[in-house]
Amino acid sequence: MAQSSESRAPQLTERLPLTTIIPRAWIGFSKAPWRFVGLTALMLITVSGLSVISRDLQQAEGLWQSTISDLVFVATIPSTLVPLVALLHLADQYLPSIHTAQSIEPAKGRQQLRWIFRQTAALLLLESVILIGGLNTLKIIGALMARQSGVFSAVILIAGGLALILWTLSQTLAIPLLVHHGHRPLAAMEHSRRLVQTNRLKVLALLGLLIGVNLIGLMGAFLGLLLSIPFSALLLMASCRTQTPWVSDSRRNILPT
């Protein structure tokens, strides 16, 4: 019975609690500011260091330098993904309510984090395959249609491009939902699509808020990003604490506790 109720839960209409994500994010950040800043600093230092090494090796002459440069560049992907997922997981723990995170034993928490890393990597790989496949399909269809009609080819490219953009936007919350709910990749993609479809304007407002926060962070260069990136992670994870209209717990959970 528990499994059936869980499977039906995501089918309910969910609303993003956009009006409360900023106070929730501030509460979460105030609980462990140095952990958030330290993890963000580790991510920025690692990515910046690998990028500098890759660029220097690329400028050097020689086949082995170019090969190592490519390998270092590829290594920036997991080097970014691992601390990013850890940051989202940390944000999920310290957002209200925190008592669920505290009940996790350390060994179990580490095991859960490793599982999240694997599922997130699979999710990104699946989304990349879909996106690259869609772009290549559009390119092939556009080239074939261009032989018959240039106007028709342009219409197909524009329509296909818009479809890919809308699909990409529908996956905005896939990784945060995977971290928060423990979804598998396909379930996270479907949950994100359904949630974005129900809250189109709120998702656009959330993206605008995230862009604004990080633009402000960029004004302070490295030190500004140390605050804007963890706050963005907290905003994303706070958005996963959705409200279901006409459910008794929804009104009680509207305001941060």
Side-chain angles (χ1 to χ4, degrees):
M1 293 297 294
Q3 273 186 340
S4 62
S5 63
E6 255 180 47
S7 62
R8 286 196 302 267
Q11 302 297 330
L12 298 173
T13 302
E14 296 176 276
R15 303 294 181 187
L16 288 180
L18 195 61
T19 57
T20 63
I21 60 173
I22 294 179
R24 286 176 186 269
W26 177 251
I27 291 172
F29 184 79
S30 63
K31 291 180 182 295
W34 292 112
R35 294 189 64 179
F36 286 107
V37 172
L39 190 55
T40 305
L42 176 63
M43 178 177 65
L44 292 176
I45 291 172
T46 303
V47 174
S48 300
L50 290 175
S51 299
V52 170
I53 294 173
S54 176
R55 185 181 59 192
D56 291 344
L57 288 172
Q58 192 68 36
Q59 293 176 352
E61 297 181 357
L63 179 61
W64 68 272
Q65 289 97 335
S66 178
T67 304
I68 295 177
S69 173
D70 294 338
L71 292 175
V72 171
F73 179 77
V74 172
T76 58
I77 299 175
S79 300
T80 305
L81 180 62
V82 170
L84 179 61
V85 173
L87 184 63
L88 291 173
H89 185 259
L90 183 66
D92 191 48
Q93 286 183 319
Y94 280 97
L95 279 167
S97 98
I98 191 175
H99 63 275
T100 55
Q102 288 179 335
S103 63
I104 300 176
E105 298 176 0
K108 187 176 180 182
R110 289 193 296 270
Q111 183 180 0
Q112 183 189 21
L113 195 55
R114 289 194 294 269
W115 183 89
I116 292 174
F117 287 149
R118 293 194 298 269
Q119 299 303 317
T120 305
L123 172 63
L124 289 178
L125 180 61
L126 181 59
E127 290 183 340
S128 299
V129 169
I130 293 174
L131 186 59
I132 294 173
L135 290 173
N136 288 332
T137 302
L138 277 179
K139 183 178 179 181
I140 294 172
I141 294 176
L144 293 175
M145 290 297 102
R147 300 175 181 176
Q148 306 297 328
S149 172
V151 176
F152 190 53
S153 174
V155 170
I156 291 178
L157 289 176
I158 293 173
L162 288 175
L164 284 178
I165 291 173
L166 291 176
W167 179 84
T168 304
L169 288 175
S170 72
Q171 300 305 309
T172 302
L173 299 174
I175 294 179
L177 288 170
L178 185 150
V179 174
H180 180 64
H181 292 285
H183 286 322
R184 298 282 182 175
L186 289 177
M189 292 171 66
E190 174 60 21
H191 194 175
S192 177
R193 183 197 64 79
R194 189 167 53 248
L195 190 58
V196 172
Q197 187 176 8
T198 309
N199 303 269
R200 296 184 183 91
L201 294 179
K202 289 185 177 181
V203 170
L204 291 177
L206 174 63
L207 291 176
L209 178 61
L210 293 173
I211 293 173
V213 167
N214 286 282
L215 285 177
I216 294 174
L218 284 172
M219 293 173 63
F222 187 82
L223 294 178
L225 290 176
L226 289 177
L227 298 177
S228 65
I229 291 178
F231 201 75
S232 298
L234 286 159
L235 290 173
L236 279 173
M237 296 313 301
S239 300
C240 295
R241 284 154 167 75
T242 55
Q243 304 299 324
T244 305
W246 311 116
V247 174
S248 58
D249 288 340
S250 64
R251 293 185 179 182
R252 186 176 58 204
N253 293 331
I254 285 176
L255 295 177
T257 56

